[in-house]
Amino acid sequence: MIPTLQNNSNHHANAVVLSFGGHAEAYDIVRSLGMEGVESIVASCQPHNIAFYSRYCAGKAVLPKFEPANESSIVEQLRRVSTGLGGRPVLFYVSDPELSFVSRFRKNLQPYYRFLVPQDEALENLFNKALFSKLAREHDLPVPPTVIINDIDELRTTVSAIQFPCIVKPAYTQDWVWETEEQKATFGPYKKSLRRFTSAGELLRFCEALPHRASGFLIQPYVDGRDEAIVSFHGYFDEQSQCIGYFVGRKIRTYPRQTGGSVYVRTMDNQDLARQSIEYLQRIGFQGIVKIDYKLDQADNEFKILEINPRYNLWQLLGGYAGVNLAAIAYRHQMEERVTLNGSYREDVRLLFLKQDIRAFLTGYRKTREWTLASYVKSLMHKKYYRVWDPADPLPFVVSLVRFTRRHAIRVLNSMASRARSTTKQFALLLVNNQKTAGKQSISVSQQ
């Protein structure tokens, strides 16, 4: 049975945020839109998505679990949501699975929703890292030299030509979703699977353990440098690839360090990089929301493109606080309102995902001493906004905090119960052994 839309207010919403999973991704968009007075309907596979509790959430639709068998049901539920709103709302998507879903079912969704995503071929070129490397060569985009490997035998014959240090990436992110517990233990989560290799032996051992994928994998020179060397361009482009909003940001820390998601970020002024980014995206005819990650290569003092992401993310919330709210710009453009170019924003506006930032420091930066305790605390002294906490919209944070506390309390109690069972078992074994020993001594005495 497909659940129906539950309204939280009497206001009319013209935006729907689609979320299949994740923790705060839907709330990032809901809050960004809410800052500009736009309320949203949240359609999520998570029955208790924290975005449901936002003051900016005008209604919720709990979707079936995201899996192939339920895709047609999800399309039907989204159709019902749109019909219930009495118009064609703007559809927002929070990560790669949602973007891929919207693209694959665009013909089914377009009669009911407004959205702007790259065409199928362009999207495939961005999703598939091997195809993206070819696209970059064709359009002269500054990406690190890329070696595409189809299987391990091919790597063995070419490993002598690999430039070290290097990094291995899957052609598709989902290629490194592991099927077995052994694979999960060997490679870890996707972000932790992205590693820096310094020798052929180390590289071969890692790649030989990878499960075979028809799309293969790719190897690039590793661009060394701290996470602060990663700069990103964020923009929104119309149907003619004209940019109508942008800002530039810099990472401060990621979780995990070096290869993880952004947990502490800030805006920065780099108009040269902004102009270059707009030119690059116009070369490939891009349209919609976008983020380009760059890292400064000290070898040639050039910003190298690490990836182009055509989806919404937490950076849109940062841009909203800085003065360029790309989610609101996308909303107004797709609602056919007049929107003029906005690239004026405040510099050094900061956004912190505190829970993940603490993890990043304790598990990574502290050990490498990239951030000492003193420098870490000092970095937090700046004025900043928080990813989940908003004093004007506190309930999502409260719900998140209660769940976090409950999860960890349950883990602690389970751990204590496990230790208690282990201690009881050890005590029982000791008691049995003592009884056996006493019995043997008794027999020995009686025989004497």
Side-chain angles (χ1 to χ4, degrees):
M1 179 177 178
I2 302 175
T4 56
L5 178 68
Q6 300 178 30
N7 290 311
N8 295 342
S9 73
N10 295 321
H11 300 291
H12 183 67
N14 282 319
V16 174
V17 180
L18 177 63
S19 172
F20 294 151
H23 172 66
E25 286 84 354
Y27 184 46
D28 293 336
I29 302 176
V30 169
R31 192 161 141 202
S32 297
L33 293 171
M35 290 164 60
E36 297 292 327
V38 179
E39 291 188 326
S40 310
I41 302 296
V42 178
S44 175
C45 298
Q46 295 177 301
H48 302 289
N49 193 309
I50 64 169
F52 289 158
Y53 301 91
S54 172
R55 60 180 291 195
Y56 308 120
C57 177
K60 64 179 182 179
V62 180
L63 304 175
K65 181 180 179 181
F66 179 60
E67 54 188 30
N70 290 335
E71 287 185 338
S72 59
S73 296
I74 293 174
V75 171
E76 173 60 20
Q77 172 67 354
L78 290 173
R79 184 193 67 79
R80 292 187 183 185
V81 170
S82 173
T83 302
L85 293 174
R88 286 180 66 221
V90 179
L91 183 63
F92 292 86
Y93 38 88
V94 304
S95 61
D96 287 348
E98 290 85 350
L99 171 58
S100 176
F101 176 87
V102 171
S103 177
R104 287 186 290 112
F105 290 97
R106 70 173 75 207
K107 291 184 179 179
N108 304 77
L109 294 171
Q110 278 175 336
Y112 303 98
Y113 289 94
R114 306 166 190 260
F115 52 88
L116 183 60
V117 299
Q119 296 302 313
D120 292 341
E121 182 179 358
L123 200 57
E124 179 67 9
N125 285 334
L126 298 178
F127 274 149
N128 185 318
K129 296 179 181 65
L131 292 179
F132 175 67
S133 69
K134 296 177 181 178
L135 178 74
R137 286 198 303 270
E138 292 171 0
H139 294 277
D140 195 26
L141 306 183
V143 301
T146 304
V147 178
I148 299 171
I149 303 295
N150 294 308
D151 55 53
I152 191 62
D153 290 333
E154 182 179 352
L155 176 60
R156 292 190 183 105
T157 62
T158 60
V159 70
S160 60
I162 298 296
Q163 178 183 339
F164 292 94
C166 69
I167 186 170
V168 180
K169 299 178 181 179
Y172 293 98
T173 300
Q174 60 266 31
D175 283 350
W176 284 10
V177 175
W178 315 116
E179 296 94 349
T180 68
E181 292 302 320
E182 182 181 0
Q183 290 173 357
K184 293 176 183 177
T186 300
F187 302 107
Y190 171 70
K191 291 290 187 179
K192 291 187 177 181
S193 301
L194 301 170
R195 303 168 190 175
R196 181 180 184 273
F197 299 96
T198 58
S199 69
E202 185 184 13
L203 174 65
L204 283 170
R205 284 192 296 274
F206 177 86
C207 294
E208 285 169 349
L210 286 172
H212 176 72
R213 297 290 189 259
S215 49
F217 55 90
L218 52 95
I219 301 174
Q220 294 176 330
Y222 189 92
V223 182
D224 278 315
R226 289 165 60 106
D227 288 323
E228 297 100 305
I230 300 176
V231 175
S232 54
F233 168 85
H234 305 265
Y236 180 80
F237 290 72
D238 66 15
E239 294 84 349
Q240 288 75 44
S241 296
Q242 295 301 308
C243 182
I244 54 179
Y246 72 86
F247 67 92
V248 178
R250 183 189 293 277
K251 295 187 180 184
I252 300 175
R253 285 186 289 271
T254 67
Y255 178 73
R257 59 174 289 274
Q258 297 288 320
T259 58
S262 304
V263 294
Y264 193 21
V265 296
R266 68 181 183 90
T267 56
M268 65 175 293
D269 180 35
N270 192 328
Q271 292 302 312
D272 288 339
L273 188 62
R275 284 191 291 269
Q276 289 175 355
S277 301
I278 292 170
E279 181 187 346
Y280 296 152
L281 291 161
Q282 289 175 339
R283 286 183 198 175
I284 64 175
F286 187 86
Q287 54 186 19
I289 196 75
V290 67
K291 177 181 78 141
I292 305 181
D293 273 340
Y294 296 91
K295 194 168 186 180
L296 183 62
D297 190 344
Q298 299 290 345
D300 55 12
N301 198 36
E302 181 182 37
F303 279 106
K304 298 292 174 60
I305 294 178
L306 302 181
E307 60 181 352
I308 298 179
N309 280 325
R311 57 178 174 81
Y312 296 90
N313 51 67
L314 70 87
W315 288 86
Q316 271 73 67
L317 187 58
L318 174 68
Y321 282 117
V324 179
N325 192 324
L326 293 176
I329 288 172
Y331 171 83
R332 293 195 174 98
H333 170 253
Q334 291 168 41
M335 289 298 292
E336 301 179 13
E337 298 179 18
R338 185 173 180 271
V339 183
T340 57
L341 175 64
N342 184 2
S344 177
Y345 56 92
R346 292 185 291 123
E347 189 178 358
D348 201 29
V349 177
R350 300 186 175 212
L351 181 70
L352 175 67
F353 189 9
L354 182 58
K355 178 183 73 174
Q356 294 296 74
D357 190 59
I358 292 174
R359 286 177 174 171
F361 173 70
L362 294 176
T363 62
Y365 295 107
R366 179 176 62 88
K367 296 179 180 179
T368 64
R369 296 196 63 78
E370 291 175 71
W371 291 90
T372 63
L373 179 60
S375 64
Y376 176 76
V377 172
K378 184 178 180 181
S379 74
L380 299 178
M381 294 297 102
H382 295 264
K383 180 182 177 180
K384 57 193 172 297
Y385 299 93
Y386 293 88
R387 186 181 187 189
V388 179
W389 167 248
D390 179 2
D393 189 25
L395 192 54
F397 172 79
V398 173
V399 171
S400 179
L401 180 62
V402 169
R403 291 178 186 166
F404 176 82
T405 304
R406 183 172 58 194
R407 284 197 307 270
H408 283 268
I410 291 172
R411 288 176 188 169
V412 170
L413 291 174
N414 287 339
S415 177
M416 292 173 60
S418 177
R419 285 198 296 269
R421 286 193 297 268
S422 177
T423 301
T424 302
K425 184 177 180 180
Q426 290 175 359
F427 179 78
L429 289 173
L430 180 62
L431 184 62
V432 170
N433 289 335
N434 287 340
Q435 290 175 340
K436 288 181 179 179
T437 302
K440 289 179 180 179
Q441 291 175 345
S442 176
I443 292 172
S444 175
V445 170
S446 64
Q447 287 177 344
Q448 291 177 358

